[in-house]
Amino acid sequence: MSGIDDTEAPLPRRAARGTGTLPPPRPLPPSLAGNTSLPYAAIGQELAELRLQIPGVHGSVVGGVDGLLITHNLQTDVDPNDLAALAATTFGLGRQVGLRLGQGDFHQSTVRNAGGYLSVYAVSPQALLAVVGEDSINVARLHLHAPPVARRLAALLDQSTPA
């Protein structure tokens, strides 16, 4: 027995919006912390390039390890705030695994579901990159391209931090 009881009532879901087509692109959110020095254009360019390099990527979220959204380029009905929180939860679990097994700091974690993937990458001690993709995504290619993007995002976020 798998330990999962599928006979229980399903979790509540948000009502579907649309007919299965992708919604129009969402604008990048304003700074959530009032920090207008964040280089949103450069961060947006990094996220867009990752999306172009890896077919099947639906979008990305940059968020804090506290679960707060920094910015995103999601093109789906997924709430970017929810995804930022899920990325932080994934980070927390991965960090604890690394600590308990003596394997060091969190770098990356991937969750595969029936319809797609969520990969979370460490950007810095305070930030994460979460990438959502469909089931046909080339995960090896994603793991090849995402870490350099995370390093460039770290540099961009570091430049915007006041001294």
Side-chain angles (χ1 to χ4, degrees):
M1 182 160 191
S2 69
I4 299 175
D5 184 1
D6 290 336
T7 61
E8 292 183 19
L11 294 173
R13 302 280 183 220
R14 292 182 181 182
R17 291 185 270 164
T19 60
T21 59
L22 291 177
R26 297 178 184 186
L28 292 176
S31 171
L32 298 176
N35 180 359
T36 57
S37 66
L38 281 176
Y40 282 113
I43 292 171
Q45 183 64 36
E46 288 292 341
L47 298 182
E49 286 179 19
L50 181 63
R51 193 160 174 229
L52 290 173
Q53 291 172 344
I54 314 295
V57 168
H58 291 295
S60 302
V61 164
V62 177
V65 295
D66 58 1
L68 295 178
L69 177 67
I70 296 172
T71 192
H72 72 90
N73 74 343
L74 289 174
Q75 302 297 310
T76 67
D77 285 339
V78 174
D79 183 324
N81 292 293
D82 288 351
L83 190 54
L86 287 170
T89 302
T90 303
F91 161 76
L93 178 61
R95 181 173 166 256
Q96 287 303 309
V97 169
L99 288 171
R100 297 292 175 223
L101 297 178
Q103 296 176 336
D105 293 335
F106 174 85
H107 284 231
Q108 179 272 328
S109 180
T110 298
V111 176
R112 179 175 184 221
N113 296 300
Y117 289 87
L118 169 65
S119 289
V120 178
Y121 301 88
V123 169
S124 70
Q126 296 83 28
L128 303 166
L129 168 65
V131 181
V132 178
E134 59 193 35
D135 190 47
S136 62
I137 194 171
N138 184 332
V139 178
R141 188 170 181 182
L142 176 62
H143 292 337
L144 180 67
H145 288 280
V149 169
R151 287 191 294 275
R152 291 191 297 272
L153 290 172
L156 289 168
L157 292 171
D158 189 46
Q159 290 173 2
S160 67
T161 303

